[in-house]
Structure formats: structure tokens, C-alpha cells
Amino acid sequence: MAQTTLHLRSESKYLERRTPYSGYTINVEKSTERVFRDEEYEAAGANLIPEGTWASAPKDHIIIGLKELPQDDAPLKHDYIQFGHCYKEQENWDSYLSRFARGGGVLYDIEFLTYSSGRRVAAFGYYAGFAGAAIALLAWAQQLINPKIPLPSVIPSDYPSQPDLEKAIKDALSFAIPLNASQPPRVIVIGALGRCGTGAVDCCLVAGVPASSIMKWDMAETAVGGPFSEIAASDIFINCIYLSQPIPPFLTNESLSKPGRKLRVVSDVSCDPSDPNNPVPLYHEYSTFIKPTLPVDLSGDGPDLTVISIDHLPSLVAREASEHFSSLLLPSLKVLNRRDQEGVWVRAEKVFREKVNELPKAN
């Protein structure tokens, strides 16, 4: 196979500061939004090229990025390494996937880069959980400090590093806890044994929430099926599961409308409002860093309830998340020039071909 050229495109998603790769000599589009400065890539030996040139790059260049491409109907001729969010029949999955089929390109979906065991090669899960817990704690503190006023915008660039974010959480809790009878929030994390759940638990601990106030649930605790009264009895619920098959919902509007609810904040790190099997069926849209919480209309005597459903949470700790992710992805990228033989790439292309075959014939 000919020499492989990687083209790192600039992200078009608003406030997406992460990058999938930070340690390889490649063509890098200039970007004012990326957490790594252009000069850092240039110093590492990368070739800086104009922003937005990925579509006109030579066909044999592989386009690497993170989030979805700009909305368009143009066929895609390149091979792409990125998150596609189109293999589980999400909204507009067919029109998006058909662009690759019509253009002759291949989508190597990062979510489906796996070892032979099925475990993902690289994931932002830990930092998604960390950031989801961080915003949940800030939202809980906001409800106590400024009732009826939603959590203001949480701008990633306001937190240059993870320690900056941790300090902001600790400061907020120092004001909120005295207003909660001097009690820390009671947090329930479902999916606590995975990467994402580990990040959520670690964030709570770093923020000063005692381990005794954190309920760590996983498959064993949820096997009986929800809804679960333990969620309504907690202050914060953080959902960190990877949904691979339909399961009963963890909570419903009805279960949360019963008397005695304490729950104030739901952080749905798994975040897939368009999935009909979403086990957190309280919302139907994404929240954003600009508007991080969505209100939930409930009856009953409980406090106001808000949902966090941001689909690129690790951007809140973009530098640490990107460095961690790129270190995981690097071994696979090193064998990308043998992608027709190397298992991780062969498996990813096989999934792509299978999903293309599922496209409605009109596409």
C-alpha cells in the first residue's frame, strides 16, 4: 500500500476544542479553536495548511477528525477517521452514511475501532464522565445558591486545565453545601465500573464529595430493571452506561413525580436523545456549553429538576482528554498503512460495509 498521509481537519462543531491526535507528523489544518496551538503542531514537525481544505485534499489522503462533518449532501470521496454517530439509526443516519457510499469513501468510525475482544481501542469515556460530573456538581450548587436561575454558560476556554476546573467546582460547593444543611450532595453513578463512570466518580471525589455519598452502580445493581427509587432519593444522577441493547428506563416522569423526590440534577453522559431506547427518557434535545441544562417539567413536591445532555463533554478538559485519547489511538495509527491487513481497521471497515448495506434503497 502507498505511503499514508493523514489530514487533521479543523472541527466545525461549536466549542469543540479536542483533537484526536497530538503526536504524529501529519497535515494539520490551522485552527483558532483547537486546544493545541498551531505552533505546537508545527514545532512537532507537522505541515500547517489552510483551514477547511479537507474536502479538496488528494483522494488518497485520510481525513481525521472527531465530531460530525458540516451538514451537506455532497458525496465523500476520502476515507475518514472520526465519530460518525450513524450506526444506531440516529436521526438522519441514512442521509449521512449515504454520502460515503455515493462518494466511494470509507468511514472508520472511532467508536468501532476495537480489539478482537470487542473492547474499544480509544475512547474519551473517562473525561466525558469527569466533565459530566463536573457540570452536574456546578448545576447542583447553582440551584442552592441561586434558586430559579439556571446554570450559566460553562465555557471550556475558561478552564485552561483540569486543575482550574476542579478549583471552580470546589469553590461552588463551598458556598452550596452550607445551604444544604451542611451535607454534601448524594450522587448515584450508573455505569460506575466503566471508563466513563470511573471518571465521574473521580471527579466527585476530587471535588470533596465523600465516598460514602457516592452510590456506584453497574450491571449487577440494574439487572432487575428500572425505574429505580434510589435515583429519585439522590441529589444528582449521572448516567454513564454504554447502551448496546434495549433496557427498561432508569427513571420516568411518573417515577420522579412521586412524593419525596430529592433529585435536582441528571447528567446524561451517555447522551443520545434520538435513541428510542434511551434509558433516561426525560428530554429530546441536546444541551450545550452555552445552555448546559434543560428543565424537566414534573408534578409532585420535589425541587426543580434539570438535565445535562452535552454531546462533547470532554471538551471541558480538552487538553488532558486529547493527550490521553491520542496516546490510545497512536498504536493503531502507526499501522494505518496496512489497514487492509490489520485487524482493528479491517473490523472497522467491515462494520461500515454492513451498515451501508442496511441503507434504504433510495439512498
Side-chain angles (χ1 to χ4, degrees), residues 83-141:
F83 288 103
H85 301 301
C86 59
Y87 285 177
K88 301 176 185 176
E89 299 192 8
Q90 292 97 329
E91 186 177 1
N92 298 322
W93 73 276
D94 50 348
S95 59
Y96 187 76
L97 190 57
S98 71
R99 295 176 64 189
F100 296 91
R102 288 185 283 114
V106 174
L107 171 61
Y108 293 101
D109 194 314
I110 294 173
E111 185 176 350
F112 294 86
L113 297 180
T114 62
Y115 298 109
S116 57
S117 64
R119 182 173 174 81
R120 287 173 61 179
V121 165
F124 282 103
Y126 178 87
Y127 286 100
F130 193 99
I135 299 178
L137 291 167
L138 292 172
W140 178 83

Side-chain angles (χ1 to χ4, degrees), residues 16 25-26 58 60 150 204 263 347:
E16 177 55 80
T25 302
I26 50 178
D60 62 345
C204 292
L263 188 67
R347 285 187 290 274

Side-chain angles (χ1 to χ4, degrees), residues 77-315:
K77 64 181 181 180
H78 298 94
D79 292 349
Y80 292 78
I81 302 172
Q82 64 179 57
F83 288 103
H85 301 301
C86 59
Y87 285 177
K88 301 176 185 176
E89 299 192 8
Q90 292 97 329
E91 186 177 1
N92 298 322
W93 73 276
D94 50 348
S95 59
Y96 187 76
L97 190 57
S98 71
R99 295 176 64 189
F100 296 91
R102 288 185 283 114
V106 174
L107 171 61
Y108 293 101
D109 194 314
I110 294 173
E111 185 176 350
F112 294 86
L113 297 180
T114 62
Y115 298 109
S116 57
S117 64
R119 182 173 174 81
R120 287 173 61 179
V121 165
F124 282 103
Y126 178 87
Y127 286 100
F130 193 99
I135 299 178
L137 291 167
L138 292 172
W140 178 83
Q142 173 70 15
Q143 282 203 29
L144 290 162
I145 299 168
N146 294 302
K148 305 300 182 182
I149 300 178
L151 178 67
S153 298
V154 180
I155 306 300
S157 58
D158 289 344
Y159 309 102
S161 68
Q162 185 174 325
D164 294 310
L165 176 62
E166 293 169 359
K167 182 180 184 303
I169 302 167
K170 291 176 182 177
D171 289 347
L173 291 182
S174 71
F175 287 103
I177 288 175
L179 302 173
N180 192 50
S182 296
Q183 295 298 311
R186 183 160 178 78
V187 181
I188 180 169
V189 180
I190 297 186
L193 299 183
R195 290 168 169 157
C196 179
T198 299
V201 171
D202 284 355
C203 178
C204 292
L205 292 172
V206 167
V209 179
S212 59
S213 294
I214 305 172
M215 297 177 62
K216 295 182 284 188
W217 280 24
D218 212 272
M219 295 178 67
E221 291 81 4
T222 59
V224 296
F228 299 106
S229 60
E230 290 87 349
I231 295 178
S234 300
D235 296 297
I236 298 172
F237 165 44
I238 306 173
N239 178 40
C240 295
I241 72 162
Y242 179 79
L243 185 65
S244 58
Q245 59 186 15
I247 59 174
F250 294 149
L251 41 69
T252 63
N253 283 64
E254 181 181 1
S255 70
L256 296 179
S257 295
K258 294 179 180 179
R261 172 178 56 84
K262 291 187 62 180
L263 188 67
R264 291 177 179 270
V265 178
V266 173
S267 183
D268 190 7
V269 181
S270 302
C271 189
D272 201 347
S274 63
D275 191 327
N277 299 309
N278 181 7
V280 186
L282 301 178
Y283 66 101
H284 302 286
E285 60 183 301
Y286 294 105
S287 63
T288 66
F289 287 121
I290 300 300
K291 185 182 177 182
T293 61
L294 303 172
V296 179
D297 186 20
L298 296 172
S299 59
D301 61 352
D304 290 343
L305 178 66
T306 58
V307 171
I308 298 158
S309 56
I310 300 171
D311 70 345
H312 57 136
L313 282 166
S315 285

